[in-house]
């Protein structure tokens, strides 16, 4: 069983210290959710200092003192979802309301706080495994009117689901992962005659055929 990095008895455990560093980095928008998940898994599987070093290899140095209210990516005027030299950028002004069609978010993209999507008789496909957040806790609101939503999240992300749903079906598949202590997502899902599925799936794992749109 994996230890809880936030257990006081683990305060001086090198693995707990390493994971807290990852949590700080993901909260600054320096790691995607899947990168956190992958490294956290390696941290808690480490049995010696060398393996722990491998889990942390390639991470940037600790940031210099800066405005505590802004992540390093935002201070530099960059979008955390964009890597240097990247060929893909995400325009967050794109539509967030759909009627009879699909709203789709996948790949490496910025998941801002209070993110809202609305679908009327359509679909929402939200693959947040490679998403980047810049805070420990992020609020996401989905409004579904006769619409369906499928949400993919990586291990290590804790989730709370609230909202008002009538004649709707909510299914959650947590898998058997033991990574804990990561960023938290507050999902407010409001629906009428809707179907919602939330699945924990590590980046790189094959998406079940029943989850694919095409």
């Amino acid at each position: 069983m994996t230890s809880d990095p936030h257990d006081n008895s683990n305060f001086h455990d090198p693995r707990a210290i390493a994971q807290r560093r990852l949590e700080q980095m993901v909260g600054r928008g320096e790691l995607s959710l899947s990168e956190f998940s992958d490294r956290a898994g390696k941290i808690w599987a480490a049995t010696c200092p060398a393996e722990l070093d491998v889990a942390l290899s390639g991470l940037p140095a600790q940031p210099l003192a800066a405005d505590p209210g802004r992540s390093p990516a935002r201070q530099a005027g960059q979008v955390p979802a964009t890597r240097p030299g990247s060929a893909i950028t995400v325009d967050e002004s794109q539509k967030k309301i759909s009627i009879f069609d699909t709203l789709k978010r996948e790949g490496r993209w910025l998941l801002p706080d209070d993110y809202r999507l609305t679908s009327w008789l359509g679909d929402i496909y939200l693959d947040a495994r490679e998403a980047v957040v810049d805070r420990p806790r992020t609020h996401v609101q989905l409004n579904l009117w006769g619409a369906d939503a499928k949400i993919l999240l990586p291990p290590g992300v804790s989730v709370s689901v609230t909202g008002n749903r009538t004649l709707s079906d909510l299914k959650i598949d947590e898998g058997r992962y033991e990574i804990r202590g990561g960023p938290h997502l507050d999902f407010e899902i409001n629906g009428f005659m809707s179907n919602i599925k939330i699945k924990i799936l590590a980046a790189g794992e094959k998406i079940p055929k029943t989850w694919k749109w095409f």
Side-chain angles (χ1 to χ4, degrees):
M1 184 68 180
T2 303
S3 300
D4 186 346
H6 297 286
D7 185 339
N8 289 334
S9 63
N10 292 328
F11 189 78
H12 297 293
D13 186 330
R15 296 173 301 174
I17 295 172
Q19 174 152 327
R20 285 196 291 272
R21 180 183 176 190
L22 295 185
E23 292 170 17
Q24 292 169 356
M25 292 184 68
V26 84
R28 293 193 299 264
E30 297 173 348
L31 291 178
S32 71
L33 298 182
S34 67
E35 288 167 339
F36 166 86
S37 173
D38 179 63
R39 289 184 182 272
K42 292 177 180 178
I43 283 172
W44 291 103
T47 58
C48 64
E51 292 179 354
L52 188 59
D53 288 342
V54 170
L56 298 175
S57 64
L59 292 179
Q62 297 288 356
L64 298 176
D67 183 349
R70 303 173 63 195
S71 69
R74 292 197 181 281
Q75 290 177 37
Q78 301 173 347
V79 178
T82 303
R83 287 178 169 173
S86 173
I88 300 175
T89 58
V90 177
D91 179 6
E92 285 304 322
S93 66
Q94 62 185 298
K95 70 174 184 177
K96 297 179 182 177
I97 299 176
S98 72
I99 302 176
F100 295 112
D101 62 0
T102 299
L103 284 175
K104 196 171 187 178
R105 302 289 188 270
E106 61 183 344
R108 190 178 180 89
W109 58 288
L110 172 64
L111 176 57
D113 193 25
D114 202 23
Y115 192 67
R116 303 187 183 193
L117 297 176
T118 299
S119 180
W120 295 79
L121 301 172
D123 299 299
I124 293 178
Y125 177 60
L126 197 64
D127 186 346
R129 292 177 298 168
E130 293 284 354
V132 177
V133 298
D134 58 3
R135 58 187 53 79
R137 197 176 188 107
T138 302
H139 176 256
V140 179
Q141 180 177 327
L142 303 182
N143 299 308
L144 309 167
W145 304 98
D148 297 333
K150 295 181 180 180
I151 303 167
L152 288 173
L153 302 168
V157 176
S158 60
V159 176
S160 62
V161 179
T162 59
N164 298 306
R165 292 173 296 279
T166 303
L167 300 177
S168 298
D169 188 23
L170 172 64
K171 294 182 180 179
I172 299 176
D173 179 3
E174 298 186 56
R176 297 181 178 275
Y177 300 101
E178 296 183 343
I179 304 170
R180 293 182 288 173
H184 184 86
L185 300 180
D186 289 306
F187 274 96
E188 179 185 342
I189 304 177
N190 304 305
F192 177 74
M193 298 185 67
S194 300
N195 295 296
I196 306 100
K197 292 183 179 180
I198 301 175
K199 185 175 182 63
I200 303 296
L201 191 71
E205 283 193 64
K206 187 176 181 179
I207 300 177
K209 291 183 179 180
T210 55
W211 279 67
K212 291 184 177 180
W213 293 111
F214 308 107

